[in-house]
Amino acid sequence: MTNDRTDGTSDAGVAGFLFDLDGTLVDSVYQHVLSWHDALCAEGIELSVWRIHRRIGMSGGLFTNALLRETDVEMSEERRKRLRDAHAAAYQGRHAALVRGLPGARALLDYLTAKRVPWAIATSGRMESASVTVSKLGLDAQKIPIVTRDQVRYAKPDPDLFLAAAARLSIDVRNSIVVGDSVWDLLAARRAGALGVGLLSGGYGQDELERAGAYRVYEDPKDLLKHLDEVGVRR
Amino acid sequence: MTNDRTDGTSDAGVAGFLFDLDGTLVDSVYQHVLSWHDALCAEGIELSVWRIHRRIGMSGGLFTNALLRETDVEMSEERRKRLRDAHAAAYQGRHAALVRGLPGARALLDYLTAKRVPWAIATSGRMESASVTVSKLGLDAQKIPIVTRDQVRYAKPDPDLFLAAAARLSIDVRNSIVVGDSVWDLLAARRAGALGVGLLSGGYGQDELERAGAYRVYEDPKDLLKHLDEVGVRR
């Protein structure tokens, strides 16, 4: 027996982990939801908060298309930009200060690093906001593998972010675990050919995540860390 | 045939409707969630936002007990009061301004009034905040039947609020429809012997509401208004 595997998996049994960021490693979903609500109110667009929650984690383009469909409002490129800017201003100005890392997030990443299991972050956010968000975990975006919306053509539920993250780690995405809190992460994982693991920490129901293809669902990173053997990481 | 029914139901086929308020008629759940998060942060208690979301709608006492269980922190009566006050301050100061009535909420109540189907509101909130919340629907808390936390011994998931609301309307709770967005509403409905109808507008998953005993689940009050015949209101 040898530890060299021909299928591209590491000693730990999986090629690596590709993490979503907001709602998966950092407890920021509800703050983003209300920041979008603030921005939409400022544009005079009435949309129920739960409907925004159910769309969070999509690419900005698909997100505004989905809003368009649900509200029947005009969505010019100029208005899209105003919405994005108002969301960023509300998030930074009103909501970001109380955003925290999720329980076990940093411990999980540190454990994988110690076990030499490669990991990367793949987020629908842009680098400007993602670097602030990873700082909540005590991490420097310049020093970790992270793929942001600005670096790929299409965001989730397209698979591009996870494909690019696997390429960054030089691992086969088909032997990778994608970890995310939203149905968009899990749909993108399936399109990428990866195994999707869902976390409840973004506020979605277990059933929604399972229906979107989650192989397993855990509460949060701390709960996933406790059950890593279930997803193929050997102790 | 006569319209007089011996089973206490009205002409419309049901005795009446007992509505939860936050998340059911008014789009305020996410703002309450983040207000509790603000309050907990101020007390140095770290609790993930989604866990707060899953407890919203319980009575204040059960809510802080649940927090106690999940965080293992000391919860003196003094600290409970500080938390309640900080929540109220955060909600009024930071979040309430952008709270809106849910789509169809006022139309649904007006339709029931026009059809002479009795309705009341039963909320785990206190009268002080509930009167501000119903004003988002253009209603005056002094002029509508509303039962608040201050008026009963135990709040949801105990049945007291819905029992008191049915008594206020002089209708049989067992022929009533309870409408709520949280599992606590639906559990309380079952304990009261009423038929529970779930709404997705509080941000919970359909599956969670069905498992808690929802007879039917609709998106929001507008969607319920469209399907009133399914719950027994004849056109």
Side-chain angles (χ1 to χ4, degrees):
Chain A
M1 282 275 286
T2 164
N3 277 330
D4 293 322
R5 308 270 295 250
T6 56
D7 61 354
T9 60
S10 73
D11 287 0
V14 292
F17 281 72
L18 312 175
F19 290 98
D20 170 58
L21 181 56
D22 292 288
T24 299
L25 295 172
V26 176
D27 195 7
S28 53
V29 167
Y30 290 74
Q31 290 87 346
H32 275 297
V33 168
L34 282 188
S35 299
W36 279 114
H37 187 249
D38 289 359
L40 289 162
C41 285
E43 283 288 309
I45 302 172
E46 300 265 333
L47 188 66
S48 302
V49 181
W50 72 282
R51 293 189 191 272
I52 301 172
H53 187 197
R54 287 300 180 284
R55 298 295 173 185
I56 283 279
M58 290 181 125
S59 69
L62 285 179
F63 182 75
T64 44
N65 285 345
L67 300 189
L68 181 70
R69 205 165 51 225
E70 295 199 13
T71 58
D72 256 349
V73 295
E74 281 294 321
M75 194 64 77
S76 62
E77 193 38 57
E78 194 185 327
R79 196 173 203 185
R80 272 178 218 263
K81 186 180 177 319
R82 274 205 310 273
L83 275 173
R84 278 198 307 270
D85 291 349
H87 163 265
Y91 184 75
Q92 292 306 330
R94 277 166 54 85
H95 299 296
L98 294 181
V99 166
R100 305 277 189 259
L102 279 161
R106 184 58 195 269
L108 173 60
L109 298 178
D110 289 349
Y111 180 85
L112 294 175
T113 301
K115 293 278 281 183
R116 299 196 185 177
V117 181
W119 58 265
I121 291 171
T123 172
S124 295
R126 281 156 202 275
M127 183 53 95
E128 194 186 335
S129 58
S131 60
V132 177
T133 307
V134 298
S135 75
K136 303 283 184 178
L137 298 169
L139 295 173
D140 178 347
Q142 302 303 315
K143 296 180 182 167
I144 57 169
I146 177 166
V147 180
T148 56
R149 179 67 189 92
D150 350 41
Q151 294 161 21
V152 296
R153 177 125 189 225
Y154 299 112
K156 305 163 194 170
D158 279 279
D160 305 36
L161 279 161
F162 293 123
L163 296 175
R168 181 76 61 88
L169 299 177
S170 304
I171 61 174
D172 185 347
V173 73
R174 289 166 303 172
N175 294 322
S176 301
I177 308 282
V178 160
V179 184
D181 67 299
S182 80
V183 299
W184 316 113
D185 294 312
L186 295 164
L187 296 178
R190 288 173 82 181
R191 289 180 63 187
L195 205 61
V197 166
L199 300 185
L200 297 176
S201 39
Y204 303 95
Q206 174 152 353
D207 180 61
E208 294 172 82
L209 301 179
E210 287 172 349
R211 282 204 223 167
Y215 160 76
R216 289 295 272 167
V217 174
Y218 301 102
E219 291 194 340
D220 55 18
K222 185 177 174 187
D223 191 32
L224 169 58
L225 177 55
K226 263 192 251 171
H227 295 91
L228 271 181
D229 52 337
E230 292 184 357
V231 302
V233 177
R234 295 173 193 107
R235 298 270 162 186
Chain B
M1 283 275 286
T2 165
N3 278 329
D4 292 319
R5 309 268 295 251
T6 54
D7 59 355
T9 59
S10 72
D11 288 0
V14 292
F17 281 73
L18 312 174
F19 290 98
D20 169 59
L21 181 55
D22 292 288
T24 298
L25 295 172
V26 176
D27 194 9
S28 53
V29 168
Y30 290 75
Q31 290 89 346
H32 275 296
V33 168
L34 282 187
S35 298
W36 279 113
H37 187 249
D38 289 359
L40 290 161
C41 284
E43 282 288 309
I45 303 172
E46 299 264 333
L47 188 66
S48 302
V49 181
W50 73 280
R51 292 191 192 271
I52 302 171
H53 187 196
R54 286 302 179 286
R55 299 294 173 186
I56 284 276
M58 289 181 126
S59 70
L62 285 179
F63 182 75
T64 45
N65 285 345
L67 299 189
L68 182 67
R69 204 162 54 223
E70 295 199 12
T71 59
D72 255 349
V73 296
E74 282 293 323
M75 194 68 75
S76 62
E77 192 40 57
E78 195 185 327
R79 196 171 203 187
R80 272 177 218 263
K81 187 182 177 317
R82 275 206 309 275
L83 274 173
R84 278 199 305 270
D85 291 349
H87 163 265
Y91 184 75
Q92 292 307 327
R94 279 166 53 84
H95 298 295
L98 294 181
V99 166
R100 304 277 188 262
L102 278 161
R106 184 60 197 267
L108 173 60
L109 298 179
D110 289 348
Y111 181 85
L112 294 175
T113 301
K115 293 279 280 184
R116 299 194 184 178
V117 180
W119 58 265
I121 292 171
T123 173
S124 294
R126 282 156 201 276
M127 184 52 95
E128 195 186 336
S129 57
S131 61
V132 177
T133 306
V134 298
S135 75
K136 304 282 184 178
L137 297 169
L139 295 173
D140 179 347
Q142 302 303 316
K143 297 181 182 165
I144 56 170
I146 177 166
V147 180
T148 57
R149 178 70 189 90
D150 349 41
Q151 295 161 21
V152 296
R153 177 125 189 225
Y154 299 113
K156 304 164 195 171
D158 278 279
D160 306 35
L161 279 161
F162 294 122
L163 295 175
R168 183 77 60 86
L169 299 176
S170 304
I171 61 174
D172 184 346
V173 72
R174 291 167 300 171
N175 293 323
S176 300
I177 309 280
V178 160
V179 184
D181 67 299
S182 81
V183 299
W184 317 113
D185 294 311
L186 295 165
L187 296 178
R190 287 172 82 179
R191 289 180 64 187
L195 204 63
V197 166
L199 299 185
L200 297 176
S201 39
Y204 304 96
Q206 174 152 355
D207 179 60
E208 294 171 82
L209 301 178
E210 286 171 349
R211 283 203 222 168
Y215 160 75
R216 288 296 272 168
V217 175
Y218 300 101
E219 292 194 341
D220 55 18
K222 186 178 173 185
D223 191 32
L224 170 57
L225 177 53
K226 263 191 250 172
H227 296 92
L228 272 181
D229 52 337
E230 291 184 358
V231 301
V233 177
R234 295 177 192 103
R235 300 269 162 185

